[in-house]
Amino acid sequence: QKEVEQDPGPLSVPEGAIVSLNCTYSNSAFQYFMWYRQYSRKGPELLMYTYSSGNKEDGRFTAQVDKSSKYISLFIRDSQPSDSATYLCAMSPITGGGNKLTFGTGTQLKVEL
Amino acid sequence: GAVVSQHPSRVICKSGTSVKIECRSLDFQATTMFWYRQFPKQSLMLMATSNEGSKATYEQGVEKDKFLINHASLTLSTLTVTSAHPEDSSFYICSGRGLGEKLFFGSGTQLSVL
């Protein structure tokens, strides 16, 4: 079993839809949770970063963490064609000093006109 | 957000030659740099972790003599693929660790070995 599970998609939605992207994890040591957006042949771009259970909102993006269920989500409201990309969840333990991130495989999202 | 500049963005080389990829943190000091490799439609696979001024730590299965990493300053890290072969063709990405646990990624280098 992988430490981080993420549905690879592809996920296709109409413009304006609410998108829900999810990851589950098995390592209870993970305390920091991130979502990255990656366009084709580009480096990942940090979208959201959180270290506590609950919701964090930034513009059209909302990150949700449920540590008791080991489940994290990213919601995108009013989705746009420019949101079409691969979304990677990533997480790391609470210990400091050069922590390595563990990534999900990424979910490919396509927002259609 | 912080910026990591990675060059070149694309390189094509002959089998047996060496290729150097450079990453610079432009507006922050990256005491730790991570190097990843990504195959098509797959996630990032960590290759090695480098701390400024010390030897890199390689992940299991990654040949340290083949993938030479130098992190001589807080703003510059390089990855040299020595004696490259077609199976080394991949997308290589660096990242620098800034405040807290946030990582900031370079734009990646697509390596094609003929």
Side-chain angles (χ1 to χ4, degrees):
Chain A
Q1 181 189 10
K2 293 180 183 178
E3 279 192 295
V4 179
E5 298 277 359
Q6 184 177 9
D7 188 336
L11 177 63
S12 185
V13 301
E15 183 180 9
I18 296 175
V19 177
S20 173
L21 304 166
N22 311 294
C23 286
T24 59
Y25 62 97
S26 57
N27 188 347
S28 58
F30 289 142
Q31 299 293 327
Y32 293 86
F33 305 91
M34 284 138 278
W35 285 94
Y36 286 87
R37 177 175 62 195
Q38 186 179 26
Y39 294 109
S40 181
R41 288 293 176 252
K42 297 293 183 184
E45 171 194 9
L46 180 65
L47 283 178
M48 299 288 285
Y49 169 88
T50 184
Y51 55 87
S52 58
S53 285
N55 294 352
K56 181 177 180 180
E57 191 173 314
D58 184 0
R60 295 187 296 114
F61 299 94
T62 299
Q64 189 175 79
V65 174
D66 183 348
K67 290 184 180 179
S68 62
S69 301
K70 297 189 179 65
Y71 188 88
I72 67 171
S73 300
L74 176 70
F75 298 96
I76 307 174
R77 291 183 300 279
D78 187 24
S79 55
Q80 304 294 312
S82 58
D83 294 329
S84 298
T86 296
Y87 290 80
L88 298 154
C89 64
M91 45 200 81
S92 71
I94 197 169
T95 54
N99 275 329
K100 296 178 286 188
L101 289 184
T102 300
F103 285 88
T105 54
T107 298
Q108 187 179 352
L109 171 66
K110 185 174 182 180
V111 180
E112 298 177 327
L113 291 169
Chain B
V3 177
V4 174
S5 176
Q6 182 173 349
H7 294 281
S9 59
R10 177 179 291 270
V11 59
I12 301 173
C13 69
K14 293 182 179 180
S15 184
T17 59
S18 294
V19 174
K20 179 183 282 189
I21 301 170
E22 189 176 281
C23 273
R24 292 182 184 274
S25 55
L26 299 185
D27 51 3
F28 70 104
Q29 292 185 328
T31 54
T32 304
M33 279 278 198
F34 300 91
W35 287 92
Y36 295 85
R37 183 164 55 182
Q38 186 178 34
F39 293 104
K41 297 188 177 181
Q42 293 187 26
S43 191
L44 286 75
M45 293 173 53
L46 181 65
M47 298 175 65
T49 303
S50 73
N51 292 298
E52 184 262 339
S54 60
K55 290 184 179 180
T57 302
Y58 291 81
E59 295 300 299
Q60 190 173 13
V62 178
E63 299 174 59
K64 63 179 181 180
D65 294 330
K66 183 171 186 59
F67 299 100
L68 301 179
I69 292 173
N70 184 283
H71 192 171
S73 78
L74 288 172
T75 58
L76 175 63
S77 179
T78 60
L79 167 67
T80 300
V81 183
T82 62
S83 187
H85 291 283
E87 58 265 30
D88 298 324
S89 298
S90 186
F91 191 60
Y92 292 86
I93 310 174
C94 65
S95 68
R97 190 166 69 94
L99 291 175
E101 303 302 321
K102 297 180 184 180
L103 285 187
F104 298 97
F105 286 83
S107 53
T109 298
Q110 180 63 51
L111 171 64
S112 299
V113 184
L114 303 177

